[in-house]
Amino acid sequence: MTDDAAHGDHSHLSDTELRVRALESLLTDKGLVDPAALDAIVDTYENKVGPRNGARVVARAWVDPDFKQWLLRDATVAINSLGFTSTSGADIVVLENTVKVHNLTVCTLCSCYPWAVLGLPPAWYKSFPYRARAIKDPRGVLREFGQDVPDDVEVRVWDSTAEVRYLVLPERPAGTDGMDEDALAGLVTRNAMIGTDRLAGG
Amino acid sequence: MDGIHDMGGMDGFGPIPIEQDEPVFHAPWEGRVWALNSALGALGKWNIDAGRYTMEQLDPALYLQSAYYQRWLCRTENILIAHDMVTRQELESPPERCKVKSQGRALSVDEIFARQRQARSARVDEDVAAQFKVGETVRARNIHPKGHTRIPRYVRGKTGVIDRDHGVFIFPDTNALFAGKKPQHLYSVRFSAQEIWGPDTASADKVYVDMWDDYLEV
């Protein structure tokens, strides 16, 4: 059953829901979790961390060549300087897309993802088809996202098998010379920072 | 272990379930499972590698049939039982019949996030010599550890090049078993896509895999 199928199966869901409630109540009675803390964690991931953080990092790199060099050299520290440590202190490496290189990130073994800058991953990133095929047929996967990568562009797929998190720095789209950092951040999609979207087109 | 979780390169799962404007959580219970996992992890009874190993040991059929947060729920129940924090009986009894003794004071959200920030980085501040250097040709060892490992099946026995040295990191294979951190260098190793997937793959494409010293040989 895929995630989608599970979401549509209401009797299965209510079973799961009962189990989750029973577990939370048991753990609360044992003094192991505090429901108010759980509320705050959900709120953080729903409302406070998310791909807007990553978009700020990308836009800064587009307008500030020194920041970009710092980002490519030591992304963890450069990103922390913008205040996006969030709940995760993982090491981050930024991968630069160019006219000749397109980067794509995946976690084939589980669901590793740069939470600090992108929040929690979308369901498709954690899905079996993406985990199975991104590493083997990245061009086919990119076509499913509507992206045709020309033959003369090298595709690099990065499997997040360790505690290093990868963030793609997309190419700055053409025709954006007059735009300021805020406007540029608005152009950066989450998928572009995973590598399944190419903002520059082509 | 050569488990169901090691999915890189498998066929037959169908199209990628792309969804427009998807919510962070598709139902409230998903958020509760995620939050429970965060709060429990911050108690420090286990580490991230042990957590992953517990997930990998789910029955393969259950793993494939369950949605993402259902797998997390199963994993959380199993790891709580393994660490004597709950019993199977407690999980299966109706809550009102379940008399439990408080085990202490639950953490606040600030404490949870502070502990996550501290624990999440697997980088170790120790001076350990690197076994390989950037640019060196290496082979991923053909090993099949019975326990937890982060060397995917698709890369074993393949030849690549050390692309970058990330520094010294905790070794997950031992850490997952609470058998020590065994700090060692972690590298991004670059493989030609054809080396791994054969001649039908685009010749210039590359696959990068993060691997520790113990996964590599000359």
Side-chain angles (χ1 to χ4, degrees), chain A residues 17-35:
Chain A
E17 219 160 8
L18 288 173
R19 258 171 76 195
V20 175
R21 282 182 192 175
L23 180 62
E24 180 178 332
S25 142
L26 176 64
L27 295 173
T28 304
D29 288 350
K30 284 179 180 264
L32 292 169
V33 301
D34 169 8

Side-chain angles (χ1 to χ4, degrees), chain B residues 36-101:
Chain B
L36 280 169
N37 164 70
S38 301
L40 293 167
L43 295 173
K45 306 277 189 192
W46 55 82
N47 58 58
I48 190 167
D49 300 305
R52 289 198 182 117
Y53 188 34
T54 308
M55 181 75 90
E56 292 157 12
Q57 291 174 91
L58 292 182
D59 175 76
L62 176 73
Y63 188 102
L64 289 174
Q65 284 170 358
S66 305
Y68 181 74
Y69 287 108
Q70 289 174 323
R71 296 199 294 277
W72 275 98
L73 174 61
C74 296
R75 185 217 74 127
T76 302
E77 290 177 349
N78 289 352
I79 206 164
L80 285 166
I81 292 167
H83 288 266
D84 298 323
M85 293 160 78
V86 305
T87 63
R88 181 65 68 189
Q89 195 187 7
E90 286 173 335
L91 288 175
E92 286 167 2
S93 308
E96 64 273 13
R97 286 184 43 206
C98 194
K99 289 202 182 72
V100 300
K101 212 164 66 185

Side-chain angles (χ1 to χ4, degrees), chain B residues 119-132:
Chain B
R120 183 64 61 185
S121 180
R123 187 180 284 284
V124 180
D125 192 16
E126 256 180 63
D127 194 14
V128 179
Q131 302 300 307
F132 305 97

Side-chain angles (χ1 to χ4, degrees), chain A residues 147-195:
Chain A
Q147 307 294 317
D148 263 310
V149 183
D151 290 348
D152 64 347
V153 173
E154 176 183 325
V155 175
R156 299 178 179 172
V157 190
W158 301 74
D159 194 353
S160 306
T161 50
E163 296 317 309
V164 175
R165 298 289 166 264
Y166 292 100
L167 180 76
V168 175
L169 174 59
E171 279 185 273
R172 180 168 172 167
T176 58
D177 286 356
M179 293 175 75
D180 66 15
E181 198 175 322
D182 283 349
L184 287 169
L187 300 178
V188 184
T189 64
R190 175 197 64 201
N191 288 6
M193 296 180 279
I194 300 173

Side-chain angles (χ1 to χ4, degrees), chain A residues 57-58 60-62 64-82 91-98 101 103 156 158 164-172 193, chain B residues 123 163-166 188:
Chain A
V57 174
V58 169
R60 174 68 57 88
W62 283 347
D64 181 345
D66 290 340
F67 180 78
K68 179 177 156 182
Q69 288 316 311
W70 187 17
L71 192 63
L72 295 175
R73 197 173 59 244
D74 188 355
T76 311
V77 178
I79 288 169
N80 285 354
S81 80
L82 299 183
D91 286 74
I92 298 180
V93 168
V94 168
L95 310 166
E96 184 185 18
N97 281 354
T98 67
V101 173
N103 293 286
R156 299 178 179 172
W158 301 74
V164 175
R165 298 289 166 264
Y166 292 100
L167 180 76
V168 175
L169 174 59
E171 279 185 273
R172 180 168 172 167
M193 296 180 279
Chain B
R123 187 180 284 284
D163 187 73
R164 82 169 77 195
D165 183 341
H166 291 301
S188 176

Side-chain angles (χ1 to χ4, degrees), chain A residues 103-105 113 118 122 124-125 130 168 190-196:
Chain A
N103 293 286
L104 179 70
T105 60
Y113 189 75
L118 297 185
W124 62 256
Y125 181 88
Y130 186 75
V168 175
R190 175 197 64 201
N191 288 6
M193 296 180 279
I194 300 173
T196 53

